[in-house]
Amino acid sequence: MDVVLIVITLLIGVIGGFIAGLVGIGGAIIIYPMIILIPPLFGLEGFTAYTASGLTSAQVFFSTLSGTNRARKRPFFNLRLVGYMGVGMIVGSIIGAIISQHFTEQMINYVYIAVSILAIMLMIWKVKPTISASIRVHWSMAIVGVFIGLISGVIGAGGAFIIIPILLTVYKLPMNTVVTNSIVIAFISSIGAFVMKLFQGFVPLEHAIWMVIGSLVMAPIGMKVGEKVPDAVQKAIIIILIAIAIIQLLT
């Protein structure tokens, strides 16, 4: 395996892991385009959209697993919220991973771009979150989880980059609650996507292992930093990362 490619995949994992911990997402929103765009910049053969989605699913699975262990101990963790959305998302992600085999690479990229634009619109939409200590969990969260899971399964993501804006704008949950629980929900969702991508042969382990190592090292660090970052800054970081990824994939 090329040493340069090892360094690149490790670096991608480091960045994705830090972002996952910082803003409560699995890192897919920035990992997916980086996997596709960075290797060719160094004269290396680029990954296909199928392999990129597989590597993304591996990175998201392990980075959210690391974040989940810490999130469960935080006061904002809500088991019912995680249960409703998590079950829906794992079902949707398995179905999404299966149907993604019938998508062209361009179609997979278009799904990523379309969902990313939706995520930005929801994040910009100003909604006053509830300040109640009691978080209302609604059955509709399971239905929403299925649809998010479908999209997540296609691009190999945990779906936190769309879970966050939906919980903030539609259900008006506080940012601390959203960030804490979204990474746990994303982990549950990533189980289905990762297992299916692995079974389909879209997860080259020789590349995935370095990405995973970088993620596992940096996710806890990102979470510690995130505890000191204001809500508005966390939201701005997510929006900027999504916008950059969209622009790069369209150019």
Side-chain angles (χ1 to χ4, degrees), residues 9-10 13-14 55 58-63 194 207-218:
T9 51
L10 181 63
V14 165
L55 287 171
Q59 185 276 334
V60 170
F61 174 80
F62 286 101
S63 66
F194 174 58
H207 301 302
I209 187 171
W210 299 105
M211 202 171 296
V212 168
I213 289 173
S215 296
L216 292 179
V217 171
M218 293 304 295

Side-chain angles (χ1 to χ4, degrees), residues 88-105:
M89 286 193 65
I90 195 169
V91 171
S93 66
I94 291 174
I95 297 173
I98 293 173
I99 65 175
S100 68
Q101 296 181 90
H102 306 291
F103 283 28
T104 65
E105 291 189 49

Side-chain angles (χ1 to χ4, degrees), residues 55 82 113 228:
L55 287 171
V82 169
I113 291 170
K228 302 177 182 179

Side-chain angles (χ1 to χ4, degrees), residues 82-236:
V82 169
Y84 271 79
M85 290 206 76
V87 171
M89 286 193 65
I90 195 169
V91 171
S93 66
I94 291 174
I95 297 173
I98 293 173
I99 65 175
S100 68
Q101 296 181 90
H102 306 291
F103 283 28
T104 65
E105 291 189 49
Q106 190 175 42
M107 288 171 65
I108 294 175
N109 284 338
Y110 284 159
V111 169
Y112 172 90
I113 291 170
V115 177
S116 297
I117 292 174
L118 174 61
I120 287 182
M121 293 173 62
L122 289 173
M123 292 295 286
I124 294 176
W125 183 15
K126 294 183 178 180
V127 176
K128 185 177 180 180
T130 178
I131 57 175
S132 173
S134 177
I135 302 302
R136 184 168 179 264
V137 178
H138 197 269
W139 63 266
S140 63
M141 291 178 174
I143 305 299
V144 172
V146 172
F147 285 102
I148 298 176
L150 281 170
I151 298 168
S152 302
V154 171
I155 62 176
F161 68 99
I162 190 68
I163 295 171
I164 289 176
I166 286 179
L167 291 181
L168 286 173
T169 58
V170 177
Y171 294 100
K172 301 181 180 180
L173 301 185
M175 188 64 174
N176 285 332
T177 298
V178 171
V179 170
T180 298
N181 292 280
S182 64
I183 197 165
V184 182
I185 297 169
F187 166 66
I188 296 174
S189 170
S190 71
I191 296 173
F194 174 58
V195 171
M196 290 305 302
K197 298 288 183 183
L198 187 63
F199 179 76
Q200 293 165 347
F202 295 144
V203 185
L205 298 179
E206 70 275 16
H207 301 302
I209 187 171
W210 299 105
M211 202 171 296
V212 168
I213 289 173
S215 296
L216 292 179
V217 171
M218 293 304 295
I221 297 175
M223 182 167 284
K224 286 184 178 180
V225 174
E227 292 173 352
K228 302 177 182 179
V229 176
D231 293 356
V233 176
Q234 288 182 327
K235 182 181 289 189

